[in-house]
Amino acid sequence: MSPLKEKERTIRRPEELAPGRDFRYIGQRIPRADGPDKVTGRYDYLADGRYDKALVGVVLFSPHAHAKVRSIDCSRALAMPGVRVLTWEDAPDVLYNSGEWFPGQNDHPDERVLTGHARHVGDRIALVLAPDERTARIARGRIVVDYEVLLPVVDPEGAREAPEALHEDGIREFPGTIAFGDVEGAFASAAHVEEDVIVTPRIHHAAMEPHAVFAAPRPEGVLELHTPCQILFGIQQTVAKVLNLPFSKVRIIKVPMGGSFGGKQEAVFEPLCAWAAMTLHRPVLIVTNREESIAATRVRAAAVGRVSTALDADGKLLARRFDVTVDAGAYLSGARKVLMAMGKKTSRLYRIPAVEFAGRAVRTSTTPSGACRGYGSPQIHAITEIHTDLLCRRLGYDPVDFRLANLVHPGDSDPSGASDLGNARIIECLTRGAERFGWDHRSKVLSWGRWRRSAGFACCTHGNGYAGTIYHDVTEVSVRIMEDGSVVVRTSLHELGNGTLTAVAQIVGEVLSVPLDRIVVTEGDTQFTGYDIGCQASRVIYVCGESARLCAEQAKELLRSEAEKLWGCPTTYENGELLVGGRRLSLGEAVRAVETKGGTSVDVHLTYSPDRNPGSYGVHFADITVDTCTGLVTVNDFLAVHDVGQAINRNFDKYHMFNAPEMPPIDVLLIEKGEPGGPYGAKSIGEIATVPTAPAVVNAVNRALGTEMTCLPLTPARIVEALAAL
Amino acid sequence: MAGLMPPNSLDELAACLAIGNVRVVAGGTDWFVRDVESFGEEDTLIDLSGVAELRGVTLQGGGLRIGAGETMTSLAGSPLVRTHAACLAEAAEHVGSWQIRNRATLGGNLAGGSPAADTPPALMALDATAEILSLRGTRSCSVEGIVAQGRAALAPDEVLVAFTIPLPEGRISAFGKVGSRKEVSIARLNLAASLRRSGGSLSNARVVVGTLGSAGRLCPGAGEILIGSLDLEERRRAFCSALVAVVEAAIPGRSTLPYKRSAILALGEDVFDALMRTSDEGRGRS
């Protein structure tokens, strides 16, 4: 390992990064490194592997939304050869919170690996293990459970008033507030006050790969866990807590993932699998099918949001007040974090002098919620953007002009005290998007027969990591230039299927001028790769990508300076070669010389923590047709405009957010004006790409029909109902 | 005896049926999702997909005979079906996904007993008769009769062999469906209709609404209006109103009633327009 352990931050800070620079790899259309294997079926997912001597576990799930187990009879299952059953009676009493990813975050713990008190359909009662999945499933079918069925609470509003709290801790709600400015005064002096209540539904992620996890006891008391997850070290601390093991004895390995979208972000089956493996001293593979993955993992948290807006006589925003209830589902999980993430967005899209955001996460007898692409952003932007369109209609404002007058500008600060907004280009997104989409003519309402056609749009913002929040943001990366000039980038990244590893290879390749097929970027393994807080919060490009860039720069400089020392003449690094005096040396030759004669490997390890967290911005436009009899909506055309700072992989402009026979043509417009602090001026696009989509379509439907629908999803039945009520 | 029996002919099938405790599966697209876990150790699964006599679309004695093992894909692409039983081709074309349509069979779609099945209303509108085989011999029954009896219509050891659709001169038909999306969608409501045109006159209308608690409900009133003497616009409106009345009578008090009452208007318009368009084209040609 190199003597260079970088702790100091040395970030190049160009005030304005010039876009359209002559890059070798950045901003090009680069095929993904994992593409060929995936499309030819050679990319093995966890459940495709062979696990000798492993037991395959299927979970016995509660069929009741709320029930206590009176008794369980496993005798017929245990009579089958090789079958083992672990029930809640065998399980440790340790309570944990699946959304806690760092020790001491103090997310309220209320979940166990198995429970005799089922709190949702799909709660985990027992784990049935057998040498193969089919036997395990048959054995599970032979277990008889006697339940005392209890009254469930399915409505988040009702959860606050239910006669008895659903959990023994007696807590009814987990509140959170964010406030700044003189909200009272603003509302008192406002020329207009508008209010709406918007309801957003729970959503399942529907990743192609259902949840699966493998755990094996290894020598010296080490538990090894293979999981397609998003936060290795978060899983590690939860498993360590449940098993009462030192972190060092819990090895988590990120394995190929068939989609997550947040669904595999929290610790769902990992603690159970790890505990079963340690208890039985056997490797254990837990697999789920589609039905189980839907019923028993995580969903996007449903939200009910009341928003009031105070405006002056000119249509300038004076203040906003929010009252938001988030449905955590059966366990608190990450729901309070989602609530606060919603609140954090309210001061970063429009210039609002005063905001009061008050909310609460409540537990119900439904599927637990958690992360889901956007982490609160889709919910809060559905609330504010549908409301903004409706208030414009009621007050006679043009929805484009109204927003242009109130949207944030580049360099604005966040009045809530969070990180500055950075090079926030939302105004450009809206003006250029409206022009490209043809908003002026598409927004007119056409009517023929039973059809109505019009258009809508919605704006949004999302973050770039955790700088300026209550959470820390730290990543480690190593770049080693090898003896043949190829490069290994050791990271604790998680490829979630979105091309992360290829993007990081592009960044490193750009710095070192090394062809991308000679660069390997690793995923995480808690025993061999450095610390990282996980692939969450849209931080990977802005934070991890920048750390990779800095690390590669240092590796380049290390090689150059060592070569200069070795040969004693001025040395420069040019186009993937070293120019030593008048001599050209290939990277491989230089590295071999530095190692053999200089006694140094070219291996740089960097710890990086950003001090900026700018906003990414986007506007989506939808052109839609509604069949007023069937309530079916056809999206005819779609434009996604995104302020990404700098595109890393140009394939992103084919970033498809729909995939069904009704997918409309999607046009993408990238605004690339550079973002200081990001690699080559890039910032996040991963989550925000999905954020304004639903409100854009809702706004289009409301415009086409003259309705004020605020309860999502806009099912055909709701559309027909709203039309009937006009 | 538990296991899988893959007969290749009707004779072999008969031998398999004699085993007892049999479950019969054709495409298996519903069975493997819904019933596979309840398959007991003593049960025998008979796979019909290899039985040659269950395939084939032929014109026979003034009717169209369609093997019960024909898949949705083959029906949708069959020139004979498209010509003589357009509503059946259209229904088959919109069942599930490509993968489902490649496996799912016409017989299975009826035998499965789903009230949301797409091809039974089309078969009913075409006045189809089913040929049913068991160890007790062969019997025939109208599809209308099978649908009326629901899942009890067929005994566990009975197998649908073929359907026969009478082909009166000048018959045209059309099908429509409303799901939650355009493709890969289970019907919330479907509608099949057929009628005869000869010269300038229309007759023999059969209008069937599906997914109203049963896979098919014959609507004689709507049929009468379809071939009645009102002018085109009036007839279209009256036809849709009659269908709304059918929906209201079929599912009073159901939470889905307000939606289906509205959605049937769209189906009524589309099926009416398709029939009249075909009718005009026919007139133009003759």
Side-chain angles (χ1 to χ4, degrees), chain A residues 572-613:
Chain A
T572 52
Y573 190 108
E574 275 182 24
N575 293 323
E577 290 177 323
L578 279 193
L579 212 55
V580 184
R583 254 174 86 208
R584 278 192 183 278
L585 284 179
S586 74
L587 279 193
E589 286 173 293
V591 169
R592 291 196 297 272
V594 163
E595 275 185 16
T596 54
K597 303 194 184 87
T600 302
S601 68
V602 184
D603 192 346
V604 177
H605 182 80
L606 179 87
T607 302
Y608 176 69
S609 178
D611 64 356
R612 295 182 180 206
N613 179 2

Side-chain angles (χ1 to χ4, degrees), chain A residues 514-565:
Chain A
V514 169
L516 301 191
D517 60 4
R518 294 177 65 78
I519 300 175
V520 167
V521 182
T522 73
E523 296 194 74
D525 174 337
T526 57
Q527 274 188 354
F528 293 100
T529 58
Y531 180 69
D532 181 70
I533 63 164
C535 287
Q536 54 174 332
S538 283
R539 63 185 281 280
V540 171
I541 289 301
Y542 191 73
V543 178
C544 305
E546 178 65 358
S547 75
R549 188 187 70 80
L550 292 169
C551 192
E553 289 284 2
Q554 290 181 11
K556 184 163 111 177
E557 174 55 19
L558 175 66
L559 178 60
R560 193 204 61 79
S561 60
E562 289 294 324
E564 198 166 66
K565 234 189 315 180

Side-chain angles (χ1 to χ4, degrees), chain A residues 667-688:
Chain A
D667 188 12
V668 176
L669 176 60
L670 297 182
I671 306 295
E672 295 174 278
K673 289 295 162 71
E675 185 61 62
Y680 299 100
K683 57 185 168 183
S684 71
I685 176 66
E687 293 184 270
I688 195 174

Side-chain angles (χ1 to χ4, degrees), chain A residues 28 118 162 176 186 222 249 312 362 383 432 467 547 582 704:
Chain A
Q28 307 301 315
V222 170
K249 298 280 187 184
D312 73 8
V362 299
I383 290 168
R432 288 187 57 193
S547 75

Side-chain angles (χ1 to χ4, degrees), chain B residues 8 50-51 57-58 95 105 114 120 142 155 173 202 242:
Chain B
N8 289 311
V51 179
V57 180
T58 50
V95 169
T105 65
S114 164
S142 68
S173 65
L202 306 176

Side-chain angles (χ1 to χ4, degrees), chain A residues 174-187:
Chain A
F174 297 84
T177 54
I178 294 170
F180 60 83
D182 178 12
V183 175
E184 288 291 327
F187 272 87

Side-chain angles (χ1 to χ4, degrees), chain A residues 142 450 629-630 661-662 716, chain B residues 41 181-182 259 262 266 269-270:
Chain A
R142 295 183 178 183
R450 60 183 203 256
C629 287
T630 64
E662 21 209 334
Chain B
E41 281 178 7
R181 53 186 177 188
K182 276 188 211 139
Y259 179 69
S262 177
E269 284 187 3
D270 292 348

Side-chain angles (χ1 to χ4, degrees), chain A residues 235-290:
Chain A
I235 300 291
Q236 182 187 54
Q237 67 109 20
T238 306
V239 168
K241 182 176 179 180
V242 170
L243 297 183
N244 194 24
L245 285 174
F247 288 11
S248 60
K249 298 280 187 184
V250 177
R251 178 182 180 189
I252 313 290
I253 301 171
K254 160 70 174 63
V255 294
M257 167 189 273
S260 174
F261 316 112
K264 291 164 185 157
Q265 178 166 320
E266 297 199 352
V268 179
F269 295 111
E270 286 93 342
L272 172 64
C273 191
W275 165 72
M278 289 307 255
T279 303
L280 300 173
H281 309 291
R282 289 280 293 273
V284 171
L285 172 71
I286 291 182
V287 291
T288 62
N289 59 26
R290 178 64 59 199

